[in-house]
Amino acid sequence: FTLAVDGEATIANAAPYALQAGVRARPLAEGDAPRWAAVARAGGTLAEIELSATLRGRPLPGRDAPAVDLRALLRPQDAWPLAALDATTQSLDLGALAAKAPTTRLDGHAVLNGGGQTPLVVDISLHNTAPGPWNAARLPFSRLLVQLRGSLAEPDLVEMSQFDLQLADATRPAGRVQGTAVWKGYDVALEMKLSDVTPQRLDGRAAAMKLSGPLAASITGVPALTPQKDPAPAPGIEWTLDLQGQLDAAPLPVRVAVEGSANDHELKIKSARAQSGSAVAEFTATVVQAPRGDWQIVTEGLLRDFDPLPWWPGDAGSAWRRGPHRANGEWKFDVRLPADADKLPPL
């Protein structure tokens, strides 16, 4: 969509350099009122800027009007520029802001406390009173709690001391994800735990099972919060997950274990194994882009008495979902493709 933005700003040419600014934004839609409008204002001095912003949307049939309010205090010359924050949402419907966004009803707040010798703490609480599966154009969670901690003594370090995501469909809970993270310099370390996550309630096309277990990721090359002595490394990620649970349709144990890594030119699945009862699928894969731009794909794996239906149920009423399916076999491929392979005919 086309966005219309207008504003004004003034700043004094002598200390303390008082300033005033205002910005207004709204999408343009022919023959229709805009879905939303936002206003942001700033005042104070260059050393201490008071910022306020509001967003208001028009309600669509059967939906609430979205609303967001934010107040912040910025001190650009300090080691930690964000000195205060208070933001709230009320009945925020993302679908009322953008036609392709999911329908939500978000109530929440974000508050920053601390400063000086006191640790900085950001508390975020978000409640979605209209959860639902992703394939029904909704967000499959009912509550999100996040706490971030920092210190002016170590301005390049932020700890996510709490992450608590309550998953849900339109009628009942669908599991929980909890964890912590540490962001220092160019690196982020993430530790998560899934508890009784039911993928099919998150998306009706997903697996009908319940899974629990750990997920860990190490990310490098992210933007640093403060200038660093060393140059930033190339972006990359390494991850491991080991989830165990049970199928909904039968009392069969299931397990999903994956270890992999990726960077700007290579994706590597070091090991991947999915098992339900005696049925097993496992594989390894490496996708590498050579300096001249062509791609090499190396993969090998096996299927043993494997039924893909519990893992990929597909659309309701489809021949795929009716089954039955069983697969046994092994494969090993070493394929090289040109850089423009996506633009060439399949044969």
Side-chain angles (χ1 to χ4, degrees):
F1 58 86
T2 303
L3 190 65
V5 179
D6 68 272
E8 67 285 328
T10 61
I11 183 170
N13 61 358
Y17 304 105
L19 64 85
Q20 292 288 332
V23 177
R24 293 162 291 278
R26 60 184 177 85
L28 293 179
E30 295 183 2
D32 195 5
R35 288 179 175 267
W36 56 268
V39 177
R41 300 187 184 281
T45 67
L46 281 183
E48 186 169 282
I49 304 172
E50 296 179 359
L51 177 67
S52 65
T54 60
L55 181 148
R56 296 292 182 269
R58 62 180 177 87
L60 298 178
R63 299 184 178 182
D64 295 325
V68 179
D69 293 278
L70 180 146
R71 291 185 178 278
L73 179 63
L74 305 178
R75 295 187 177 126
Q77 299 174 1
D78 288 359
W80 192 279
L82 183 59
L85 172 70
D86 190 341
T88 61
T89 66
Q90 182 176 359
S91 299
L92 178 60
D93 182 3
L94 299 178
L97 303 181
K100 296 183 179 180
T103 298
T104 62
R105 190 174 293 119
L106 301 175
D107 297 320
H109 72 269
V111 179
L112 182 147
N113 294 303
Q117 301 301 318
T118 305
L120 294 162
V121 179
V122 178
D123 287 299
I124 302 171
S125 175
L126 201 61
H127 293 262
N128 180 19
T129 58
W134 181 258
N135 62 308
R138 292 182 179 265
L139 291 182
F141 81 92
S142 59
R143 188 184 71 169
L144 172 64
L145 299 177
V146 178
Q147 185 177 87
L148 305 174
R149 302 178 66 88
S151 171
L152 295 180
E154 295 183 271
D156 66 338
L157 172 65
V158 171
E159 296 179 283
M160 184 174 68
S161 56
Q162 180 187 28
F163 178 90
D164 191 344
L165 180 65
Q166 297 276 3
L167 301 170
D169 63 10
T171 59
R172 52 183 172 167
R176 190 175 185 179
V177 181
Q178 297 172 284
T180 60
V182 176
W183 179 7
K184 183 174 177 59
Y186 301 118
D187 302 320
V188 174
L190 185 70
E191 298 282 346
M192 291 289 168
K193 179 183 178 182
L194 283 66
S195 302
D196 294 333
V197 173
T198 52
Q200 197 169 55
R201 294 182 196 166
L202 308 181
D203 190 307
R205 300 160 296 187
M209 58 182 64
K210 186 176 293 184
L211 296 170
S212 299
L215 165 64
S218 178
I219 308 169
T220 189
V222 300
L225 294 169
T226 59
Q228 302 289 302
K229 296 180 180 178
D230 300 324
I237 180 173
E238 296 184 358
W239 73 88
T240 60
L241 66 88
D242 189 355
L243 307 180
Q244 301 184 48
Q246 182 174 307
L247 294 173
D248 284 0
L252 286 176
V254 296
R255 183 181 181 185
V256 182
V258 182
E259 181 180 358
S261 63
N263 54 40
D264 58 351
H265 66 277
E266 180 184 70
L267 168 65
K268 179 178 289 187
I269 305 298
K270 300 177 183 177
S271 65
R273 181 182 177 91
Q275 182 173 0
S276 59
S278 61
V280 174
E282 58 184 31
F283 74 96
T284 63
T286 302
V287 181
V288 182
Q289 186 177 27
R292 62 185 182 183
D294 56 340
W295 293 89
Q296 183 178 19
I297 304 172
V298 180
T299 176
E300 61 180 296
L302 65 86
L303 301 173
R304 185 172 67 241
D305 197 26
F306 187 71
D307 180 5
L309 197 58
W311 305 90
W312 300 284
D315 295 324
S318 63
W320 173 265
R321 180 168 286 197
R322 289 194 299 269
H325 313 291
R326 287 294 185 275
N328 291 277
E330 300 179 2
W331 73 86
K332 186 173 183 178
F333 294 109
D334 189 340
V335 183
R336 190 176 297 275
L337 300 173
D340 60 347
D342 59 325
K343 301 176 183 178
L344 299 176
L347 300 179

